[in-house]
Amino acid sequence: MQGLAATSKLSLAVVVAVFLLGSSAAAAHGLRRVVSSSSDEPCNEMTLYYHDILYNGVNNTKNATSAAATKPTALSTTHWKNGTYFGTLVVFDDPMTVGKALPMAGEEPAARAQGFYFYDKQESYTSWFGFSIVFNSTAHKGTINLVGADLMDDKTRDLSVVGGTGDFFMARGIATLRLDASEGTVYFRLQMDIKLYECYV
């Protein structure tokens, strides 16, 4: 019984410490916390288009923005004949744009998505994302950090916004993804509607 009480006190102390650290970090940056009171009224929102051009190992070296860092496991290629790429890890540095078009040569994108996804289901296409949207433009500076499952059979799916830096310091919210275009397995474009419900201004 005493061990349980001690564990509860320790857990409470950790929660308080994390809260105080977050509050003092915001104060150190001279920022005020804004939390949305309604899911219909985010404190910040934007729509970006994510362009992924997977290196095909042949003729798209100059244009590729992502590459498989591992090969599919033997399990996915022998037992599951539909080839779900189970176990494949892809690393990316993808341009993100405000409109649907890819940036022209020499044109800077609105941001870059930098991170990875891996295929994590044997029976069908699903993946797990972990990445940062890196802004370095006149409109925004800083990052938005996202993680979560991409259930590709669903028309829309949500990733969690778990933090950020710069203009998006300690942001929290949801990014809703939908497939907007694809060309085989080499290119896809996602529409990403980002809604932040915790902002520091």
Side-chain angles (χ1 to χ4, degrees):
M1 201 66 166
Q2 288 179 338
L4 182 60
T7 302
S8 296
K9 286 180 182 177
L10 180 60
S11 298
L12 179 60
V14 168
V15 169
V16 169
V18 168
F19 175 77
L20 290 174
L21 282 172
S23 299
S24 60
H29 284 81
L31 300 173
R32 178 178 55 86
R33 182 176 180 231
V34 176
V35 179
S36 176
S37 60
S38 165
S39 62
D40 296 329
E41 297 177 15
C43 51
N44 195 350
E45 61 184 312
M46 68 184 79
T47 297
L48 295 170
Y49 291 88
Y50 167 109
H51 304 265
D52 186 86
I53 305 170
L54 184 63
Y55 174 59
N56 64 8
V58 183
N59 58 5
N60 71 343
T61 305
K62 287 186 178 180
N63 296 331
T65 59
S66 65
T70 62
K71 294 183 177 179
T73 64
L75 177 64
S76 70
T77 56
T78 57
H79 183 70
W80 303 104
K81 300 300 183 189
N82 56 352
T84 59
Y85 301 106
F86 177 66
T88 301
L89 171 70
V90 176
V91 178
F92 57 86
D93 179 12
D94 291 334
M96 298 194 73
T97 58
V98 175
K100 295 184 179 189
L102 275 164
M104 302 297 285
E107 182 184 1
E108 285 297 314
R112 297 199 74 87
Q114 298 172 330
F116 64 89
Y117 59 88
F118 56 85
Y119 293 94
D120 60 350
K121 192 169 181 181
Q122 296 172 351
E123 302 89 349
S124 62
Y125 287 110
T126 72
S127 61
W128 193 91
F129 272 92
F131 68 100
S132 295
I133 300 173
V134 181
F135 295 87
N136 189 17
S137 67
T138 54
H140 298 292
K141 297 251 190 251
T143 63
I144 296 176
N145 304 314
L146 301 97
V147 297
D150 182 13
L151 308 173
M152 294 185 225
D153 289 336
D154 294 350
K155 187 175 179 181
T156 64
R157 50 267 191 200
D158 293 330
L159 298 182
S160 300
V161 174
V162 296
T165 63
D167 293 346
F168 307 100
F169 179 78
M170 293 179 64
R172 302 286 187 276
I174 293 290
T176 301
L177 312 181
R178 60 181 53 80
L179 182 65
D180 191 65
S182 65
E183 295 175 16
T185 58
V186 178
Y187 171 77
F188 65 87
R189 179 175 66 225
L190 298 175
Q191 179 180 326
M192 188 176 294
D193 297 318
I194 302 168
K195 294 184 178 181
L196 303 179
Y197 296 98
E198 184 174 338
C199 307
Y200 285 80
V201 295

